[in-house]
């Protein structure tokens, strides 16, 4: 595999693990607010990000590439209100989408058909990730932003929305 692609995938492993770190941070924020449904949802999201990283690592391994793991940044750990992490999730997923698209474009430029094909899975996955993040914010704005029972029900629903 070309070094340019190896570097990008090593960075992507790091970004996926950072995503997990970010979502664990958000999960802890919601747990500190006694919102157990949002805590549980973001904890599962974090686990999914680790799987995304593992899938890239396995691909490099299967392609006979020795790779290195890069240091993971610390998340900010500061949120002004209950809505802020939901907004941050959307922005972060858009950023991840741009990184995935870049890997795809570089694979195409180089003519690495196998990597292009492999990354296609992430291209589709990011459509889903962005849509889900936007749905959660929309529902929060519609039903939960004023607190009280709306927030209680929203939190309960989101907690049971994924296994
Ligand atoms: Fe692995 Fe949420 O992107």
């Amino acid at each position: 595999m070309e070094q340019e692609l190896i570097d990008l995938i090593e960075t992507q492993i790091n970004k996926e693990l950072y995503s997990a770190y970010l979502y664990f941070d958000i999960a802890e924020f919601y747990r500190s607010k006694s919102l157990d449904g949002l805590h549980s949802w973001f904890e599962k999201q974090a686990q999914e990000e680790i799987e995304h990283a593992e899938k890239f690592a396995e691909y490099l391994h299967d392609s006979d590439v020795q790779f290195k793991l890069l240091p993971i940044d610390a998340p900010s750990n500061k949120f002004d209100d209950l809505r802020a992490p939901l907004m941050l999730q959307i922005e972060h997923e858009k950023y991840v989408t741009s990184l995935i698209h870049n890997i795809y474009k570089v694979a195409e430029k180089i003519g690495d058909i196998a990597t292009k094909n492999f990354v296609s899975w992430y291209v589709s996955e990011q459509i889903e990730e962005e849509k889900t993040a936007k749905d959660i914010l929309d529902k929060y704005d519609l039903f939960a932003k004023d607190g009280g029972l709306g927030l209680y029900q929203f939190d309960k629903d989101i907690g049971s929305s994924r296994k």
Side-chain angles (χ1 to χ4, degrees):
M1 191 184 295
E2 295 275 336
Q3 193 58 47
E4 187 179 0
L5 271 178
I6 296 171
D7 291 346
L8 283 175
I9 295 176
E10 279 178 348
T11 300
Q12 194 61 34
I13 290 171
N14 180 267
K15 298 295 181 187
E16 299 290 348
L17 291 174
Y18 173 77
S19 303
Y21 226 34
L22 178 68
Y23 294 149
F24 274 131
D25 192 37
I26 293 175
E28 286 310 315
F29 168 73
Y30 284 126
R31 179 150 66 179
S32 76
K33 304 290 181 192
S34 301
L35 292 165
D36 296 337
L38 281 159
H39 166 257
S40 160
W41 196 91
F42 275 98
E43 204 168 53
K44 285 175 186 133
Q45 188 62 24
Q47 280 154 10
E48 203 175 288
E49 299 299 351
I50 292 172
E51 287 167 19
H52 292 171
E54 282 172 344
K55 201 172 159 82
F56 271 115
E58 189 179 18
Y59 179 67
L60 287 180
H61 169 80
D62 291 350
S63 306
D64 208 18
V65 172
Q66 296 263 332
F67 60 94
K68 57 183 182 302
L69 294 173
L70 307 169
I72 305 167
D73 290 339
S76 77
N77 201 16
K78 277 197 174 61
F79 301 109
D80 291 337
D81 50 37
L82 297 178
R83 190 178 189 272
L86 304 180
M87 199 60 222
L88 178 61
Q89 185 189 18
I90 295 176
E91 285 163 11
H92 183 69
E93 288 301 335
K94 283 186 177 163
Y95 168 63
V96 172
T97 297
S98 73
L99 297 174
I100 295 286
H101 286 188
N102 187 47
I103 299 174
Y104 186 96
K105 284 180 202 160
V106 171
E108 188 165 58
K109 179 190 80 184
I110 289 172
D112 186 332
I113 293 167
T115 300
K116 216 174 98 172
N117 183 53
F118 171 74
V119 170
S120 299
W121 181 85
Y122 288 88
V123 173
S124 305
E125 176 71 6
Q126 282 308 120
I127 294 171
E128 190 61 35
E129 296 267 288
E130 282 190 37
K131 180 192 175 297
T132 306
K134 191 177 171 305
D135 279 355
I136 293 172
L137 183 67
D138 285 349
K139 287 199 173 77
Y140 176 84
D141 285 342
L142 273 171
F143 306 117
K145 71 175 190 320
D146 297 327
L149 270 181
L151 177 60
Y152 175 77
Q153 192 61 49
F154 167 78
D155 183 59
K156 221 164 127 112
D157 288 352
I158 200 165
S160 56
S161 67
R162 64 197 293 184
K163 299 281 172 275

